[in-house]
mmCIF file of all heavy atoms in Angstrom:
data_model
loop_
_atom_site.group_PDB
_atom_site.id
_atom_site.type_symbol
_atom_site.label_atom_id
_atom_site.label_comp_id
_atom_site.label_asym_id
_atom_site.label_seq_id
_atom_site.Cartn_x
_atom_site.Cartn_y
_atom_site.Cartn_z
ATOM 1 N N ASP Y 989 9.833 -2.668 14.371
ATOM 2 C CA ASP Y 989 10.572 -2.836 15.628
ATOM 3 C C ASP Y 989 11.165 -1.506 16.101
ATOM 4 O O ASP Y 989 11.187 -1.211 17.301
ATOM 5 C CB ASP Y 989 11.697 -3.865 15.449
ATOM 6 C CG ASP Y 989 11.168 -5.305 15.470
ATOM 7 O OD1 ASP Y 989 9.930 -5.479 15.516
ATOM 8 O OD2 ASP Y 989 11.987 -6.242 15.434
ATOM 9 N N LEU Y 990 11.653 -0.697 15.157
ATOM 10 C CA LEU Y 990 12.303 0.562 15.544
ATOM 11 C C LEU Y 990 11.293 1.601 16.013
ATOM 12 O O LEU Y 990 11.549 2.346 16.963
ATOM 13 C CB LEU Y 990 13.131 1.102 14.371
ATOM 14 C CG LEU Y 990 14.430 0.332 14.124
ATOM 15 C CD1 LEU Y 990 14.990 0.640 12.737
ATOM 16 C CD2 LEU Y 990 15.474 0.671 15.205
ATOM 17 N N VAL Y 991 10.141 1.652 15.361
ATOM 18 C CA VAL Y 991 9.147 2.646 15.758
ATOM 19 C C VAL Y 991 8.593 2.307 17.144
ATOM 20 O O VAL Y 991 8.273 3.193 17.934
ATOM 21 C CB VAL Y 991 8.048 2.776 14.678
ATOM 22 C CG1 VAL Y 991 6.965 1.710 14.803
ATOM 23 C CG2 VAL Y 991 7.435 4.178 14.688
ATOM 24 N N GLN Y 992 8.559 1.008 17.448
ATOM 25 C CA GLN Y 992 8.104 0.602 18.779
ATOM 26 C C GLN Y 992 9.078 1.028 19.866
ATOM 27 O O GLN Y 992 8.737 1.077 21.037
ATOM 28 C CB GLN Y 992 7.916 -0.919 18.843
ATOM 29 C CG GLN Y 992 6.611 -1.367 18.179
ATOM 30 C CD GLN Y 992 6.430 -2.877 18.195
ATOM 31 O OE1 GLN Y 992 7.386 -3.623 18.208
ATOM 32 N NE2 GLN Y 992 5.181 -3.308 18.219
ATOM 33 N N ARG Y 993 10.328 1.286 19.452
ATOM 34 C CA ARG Y 993 11.324 1.748 20.424
ATOM 35 C C ARG Y 993 11.409 3.274 20.450
ATOM 36 O O ARG Y 993 12.316 3.832 21.045
ATOM 37 C CB ARG Y 993 12.689 1.153 20.088
ATOM 38 C CG ARG Y 993 12.755 -0.350 20.346
ATOM 39 C CD ARG Y 993 14.119 -0.877 19.935
ATOM 40 N NE ARG Y 993 14.400 -2.179 20.497
ATOM 41 C CZ ARG Y 993 14.397 -3.313 19.786
ATOM 42 N NH1 ARG Y 993 14.129 -3.283 18.498
ATOM 43 N NH2 ARG Y 993 14.684 -4.460 20.359
ATOM 44 N N GLY Y 994 10.517 3.928 19.714
ATOM 45 C CA GLY Y 994 10.432 5.384 19.812
ATOM 46 C C GLY Y 994 11.253 6.155 18.798
ATOM 47 O O GLY Y 994 11.338 7.373 18.861
ATOM 48 N N HIS Y 995 11.863 5.440 17.849
ATOM 49 C CA HIS Y 995 12.633 6.152 16.830
ATOM 50 C C HIS Y 995 11.710 6.625 15.708
ATOM 51 O O HIS Y 995 10.693 6.006 15.430
ATOM 52 C CB HIS Y 995 13.734 5.257 16.276
ATOM 53 C CG HIS Y 995 14.622 4.692 17.336
ATOM 54 N ND1 HIS Y 995 15.357 5.490 18.187
ATOM 55 C CD2 HIS Y 995 14.866 3.411 17.719
ATOM 56 C CE1 HIS Y 995 16.035 4.725 19.033
ATOM 57 N NE2 HIS Y 995 15.746 3.459 18.778
ATOM 58 N N GLU Y 996 12.117 7.731 15.077
ATOM 59 C CA GLU Y 996 11.366 8.205 13.922
ATOM 60 C C GLU Y 996 11.806 7.375 12.711
ATOM 61 O O GLU Y 996 12.995 7.276 12.432
ATOM 62 C CB GLU Y 996 11.703 9.696 13.705
ATOM 63 C CG GLU Y 996 10.795 10.391 12.729
ATOM 64 C CD GLU Y 996 11.209 11.860 12.544
ATOM 65 O OE1 GLU Y 996 11.810 12.460 13.479
ATOM 66 O OE2 GLU Y 996 10.943 12.386 11.455
ATOM 67 N N VAL Y 997 10.849 6.756 12.057
ATOM 68 C CA VAL Y 997 11.203 5.822 10.978
ATOM 69 C C VAL Y 997 10.570 6.250 9.665
ATOM 70 O O VAL Y 997 9.354 6.429 9.583
ATOM 71 C CB VAL Y 997 10.745 4.381 11.329
ATOM 72 C CG1 VAL Y 997 11.119 3.422 10.197
ATOM 73 C CG2 VAL Y 997 11.361 3.916 12.642
ATOM 74 N N HIS Y 998 11.414 6.414 8.646
ATOM 75 C CA HIS Y 998 10.937 6.728 7.296
ATOM 76 C C HIS Y 998 11.336 5.597 6.362
ATOM 77 O O HIS Y 998 12.500 5.213 6.309
ATOM 78 C CB HIS Y 998 11.559 8.022 6.777
ATOM 79 C CG HIS Y 998 11.108 9.224 7.538
ATOM 80 N ND1 HIS Y 998 11.580 10.476 7.276
ATOM 81 C CD2 HIS Y 998 10.234 9.361 8.559
ATOM 82 C CE1 HIS Y 998 11.009 11.340 8.107
ATOM 83 N NE2 HIS Y 998 10.189 10.691 8.895
ATOM 84 N N VAL Y 999 10.356 5.076 5.647
ATOM 85 C CA VAL Y 999 10.618 3.982 4.709
ATOM 86 C C VAL Y 999 10.567 4.535 3.281
ATOM 87 O O VAL Y 999 9.593 5.190 2.908
ATOM 88 C CB VAL Y 999 9.579 2.854 4.865
ATOM 89 C CG1 VAL Y 999 9.849 1.734 3.862
ATOM 90 C CG2 VAL Y 999 9.584 2.318 6.292
ATOM 91 N N PHE Y 1000 11.615 4.257 2.508
ATOM 92 C CA PHE Y 1000 11.652 4.666 1.105
ATOM 93 C C PHE Y 1000 11.403 3.461 0.209
ATOM 94 O O PHE Y 1000 12.015 2.417 0.407
ATOM 95 C CB PHE Y 1000 13.018 5.276 0.758
ATOM 96 C CG PHE Y 1000 13.291 6.550 1.502
ATOM 97 C CD1 PHE Y 1000 14.034 6.551 2.678
ATOM 98 C CD2 PHE Y 1000 12.792 7.751 1.028
ATOM 99 C CE1 PHE Y 1000 14.280 7.729 3.365
ATOM 100 C CE2 PHE Y 1000 13.032 8.942 1.710
ATOM 101 C CZ PHE Y 1000 13.774 8.925 2.885
ATOM 102 N N GLU Y 1001 10.494 3.621 -0.733
ATOM 103 C CA GLU Y 1001 10.151 2.517 -1.639
ATOM 104 C C GLU Y 1001 10.251 3.000 -3.078
ATOM 105 O O GLU Y 1001 9.756 4.070 -3.415
ATOM 106 C CB GLU Y 1001 8.729 2.021 -1.318
ATOM 107 C CG GLU Y 1001 8.116 1.083 -2.338
ATOM 108 C CD GLU Y 1001 8.958 -0.152 -2.639
ATOM 109 O OE1 GLU Y 1001 9.402 -0.822 -1.678
ATOM 110 O OE2 GLU Y 1001 9.178 -0.436 -3.832
ATOM 111 N N ALA Y 1002 10.874 2.169 -3.921
ATOM 112 C CA ALA Y 1002 11.051 2.547 -5.332
ATOM 113 C C ALA Y 1002 9.738 2.464 -6.107
ATOM 114 O O ALA Y 1002 9.481 3.279 -6.994
ATOM 115 C CB ALA Y 1002 12.093 1.639 -5.988
ATOM 116 N N LEU Y 1003 8.918 1.480 -5.782
ATOM 117 C CA LEU Y 1003 7.682 1.270 -6.538
ATOM 118 C C LEU Y 1003 6.548 2.120 -5.966
ATOM 119 O O LEU Y 1003 6.695 2.759 -4.925
ATOM 120 C CB LEU Y 1003 7.304 -0.209 -6.520
ATOM 121 C CG LEU Y 1003 8.300 -1.129 -7.238
ATOM 122 C CD1 LEU Y 1003 7.964 -2.588 -6.994
ATOM 123 C CD2 LEU Y 1003 8.322 -0.833 -8.729
ATOM 124 N N HIS Y 1004 5.396 2.059 -6.655
ATOM 125 C CA HIS Y 1004 4.285 2.904 -6.223
ATOM 126 C C HIS Y 1004 3.448 2.265 -5.122
ATOM 127 O O HIS Y 1004 2.527 2.896 -4.613
ATOM 128 C CB HIS Y 1004 3.416 3.296 -7.428
ATOM 129 C CG HIS Y 1004 2.867 2.126 -8.190
ATOM 130 N ND1 HIS Y 1004 3.413 1.705 -9.385
ATOM 131 C CD2 HIS Y 1004 1.845 1.284 -7.932
ATOM 132 C CE1 HIS Y 1004 2.738 0.653 -9.820
ATOM 133 N NE2 HIS Y 1004 1.785 0.379 -8.960
ATOM 134 N N GLU Y 1005 3.722 1.012 -4.781
ATOM 135 C CA GLU Y 1005 2.996 0.365 -3.675
ATOM 136 C C GLU Y 1005 4.000 -0.025 -2.598
ATOM 137 O O GLU Y 1005 5.148 -0.359 -2.899
ATOM 138 C CB GLU Y 1005 2.311 -0.919 -4.158
ATOM 139 C CG GLU Y 1005 1.089 -0.699 -5.020
ATOM 140 C CD GLU Y 1005 -0.215 -0.823 -4.231
ATOM 141 O OE1 GLU Y 1005 -0.173 -1.055 -3.005
ATOM 142 O OE2 GLU Y 1005 -1.263 -0.671 -4.866
ATOM 143 N N ILE Y 1006 3.534 -0.032 -1.355
ATOM 144 C CA ILE Y 1006 4.379 -0.460 -0.249
ATOM 145 C C ILE Y 1006 4.274 -1.981 -0.102
ATOM 146 O O ILE Y 1006 3.180 -2.543 -0.183
ATOM 147 C CB ILE Y 1006 3.933 0.229 1.057
ATOM 148 C CG1 ILE Y 1006 4.117 1.750 0.954
ATOM 149 C CG2 ILE Y 1006 4.686 -0.324 2.264
ATOM 150 C CD1 ILE Y 1006 5.530 2.210 0.748
ATOM 151 N N GLY Y 1007 5.411 -2.625 0.139
ATOM 152 C CA GLY Y 1007 5.385 -4.073 0.377
ATOM 153 C C GLY Y 1007 6.458 -4.859 -0.352
ATOM 154 O O GLY Y 1007 6.679 -6.022 -0.056
ATOM 155 N N GLY Y 1008 7.126 -4.220 -1.316
ATOM 156 C CA GLY Y 1008 8.204 -4.916 -2.022
ATOM 157 C C GLY Y 1008 7.723 -6.219 -2.630
ATOM 158 O O GLY Y 1008 6.663 -6.267 -3.270
ATOM 159 N N VAL Y 1009 8.471 -7.280 -2.391
ATOM 160 C CA VAL Y 1009 8.151 -8.574 -3.010
ATOM 161 C C VAL Y 1009 6.766 -9.082 -2.592
ATOM 162 O O VAL Y 1009 6.121 -9.822 -3.321
ATOM 163 C CB VAL Y 1009 9.246 -9.615 -2.682
ATOM 164 C CG1 VAL Y 1009 9.193 -10.033 -1.215
ATOM 165 C CG2 VAL Y 1009 9.123 -10.834 -3.581
ATOM 166 N N LEU Y 1010 6.304 -8.653 -1.433
ATOM 167 C CA LEU Y 1010 4.973 -9.088 -0.991
ATOM 168 C C LEU Y 1010 3.910 -8.590 -1.963
ATOM 169 O O LEU Y 1010 2.884 -9.239 -2.166
ATOM 170 C CB LEU Y 1010 4.664 -8.537 0.412
ATOM 171 C CG LEU Y 1010 5.665 -8.883 1.520
ATOM 172 C CD1 LEU Y 1010 5.361 -8.089 2.777
ATOM 173 C CD2 LEU Y 1010 5.648 -10.373 1.807
ATOM 174 N N VAL Y 1011 4.195 -7.432 -2.589
ATOM 175 C CA VAL Y 1011 3.226 -6.842 -3.504
ATOM 176 C C VAL Y 1011 3.488 -7.253 -4.954
ATOM 177 O O VAL Y 1011 2.573 -7.639 -5.666
ATOM 178 C CB VAL Y 1011 3.251 -5.296 -3.401
ATOM 179 C CG1 VAL Y 1011 2.458 -4.669 -4.537
ATOM 180 C CG2 VAL Y 1011 2.682 -4.857 -2.069
ATOM 181 N N TYR Y 1012 4.762 -7.166 -5.383
ATOM 182 C CA TYR Y 1012 5.000 -7.455 -6.802
ATOM 183 C C TYR Y 1012 5.221 -8.946 -7.046
ATOM 184 O O TYR Y 1012 5.043 -9.424 -8.162
ATOM 185 C CB TYR Y 1012 6.154 -6.619 -7.366
ATOM 186 C CG TYR Y 1012 7.554 -7.031 -6.963
ATOM 187 C CD1 TYR Y 1012 8.162 -8.157 -7.516
ATOM 188 C CD2 TYR Y 1012 8.299 -6.287 -6.054
ATOM 189 C CE1 TYR Y 1012 9.440 -8.530 -7.148
ATOM 190 C CE2 TYR Y 1012 9.573 -6.646 -5.690
ATOM 191 C CZ TYR Y 1012 10.148 -7.779 -6.244
ATOM 192 O OH TYR Y 1012 11.406 -8.148 -5.883
ATOM 193 N N GLY Y 1013 5.608 -9.689 -6.008
ATOM 194 C CA GLY Y 1013 5.985 -11.075 -6.234
ATOM 195 C C GLY Y 1013 4.928 -12.109 -5.891
ATOM 196 O O GLY Y 1013 4.809 -13.113 -6.579
ATOM 197 N N ILE Y 1014 4.204 -11.898 -4.815
ATOM 198 C CA ILE Y 1014 3.301 -12.947 -4.334
ATOM 199 C C ILE Y 1014 1.885 -12.649 -4.805
ATOM 200 O O ILE Y 1014 1.357 -11.571 -4.552
ATOM 201 C CB ILE Y 1014 3.369 -13.065 -2.792
ATOM 202 C CG1 ILE Y 1014 4.823 -13.357 -2.377
ATOM 203 C CG2 ILE Y 1014 2.446 -14.181 -2.308
ATOM 204 C CD1 ILE Y 1014 5.040 -13.482 -0.886
ATOM 205 N N PRO Y 1015 1.260 -13.598 -5.495
ATOM 206 C CA PRO Y 1015 -0.059 -13.314 -6.090
ATOM 207 C C PRO Y 1015 -1.177 -13.217 -5.061
ATOM 208 O O PRO Y 1015 -1.093 -13.747 -3.956
ATOM 209 C CB PRO Y 1015 -0.316 -14.503 -7.017
ATOM 210 C CG PRO Y 1015 0.973 -15.225 -7.132
ATOM 211 C CD PRO Y 1015 1.765 -14.917 -5.898
#
Side-chain angles (χ1 to χ4, degrees):
Chain Y
D989 282 6
L990 286 163
V991 83
Q992 282 178 332
R993 290 178 163 107
H995 306 300
E996 192 181 333
V997 180
H998 293 177
V999 179
F1000 295 96
E1001 168 55 49
L1003 295 171
H1004 57 258
E1005 286 261 1
I1006 297 298
V1009 71
L1010 304 171
V1011 169
Y1012 75 75
I1014 302 179

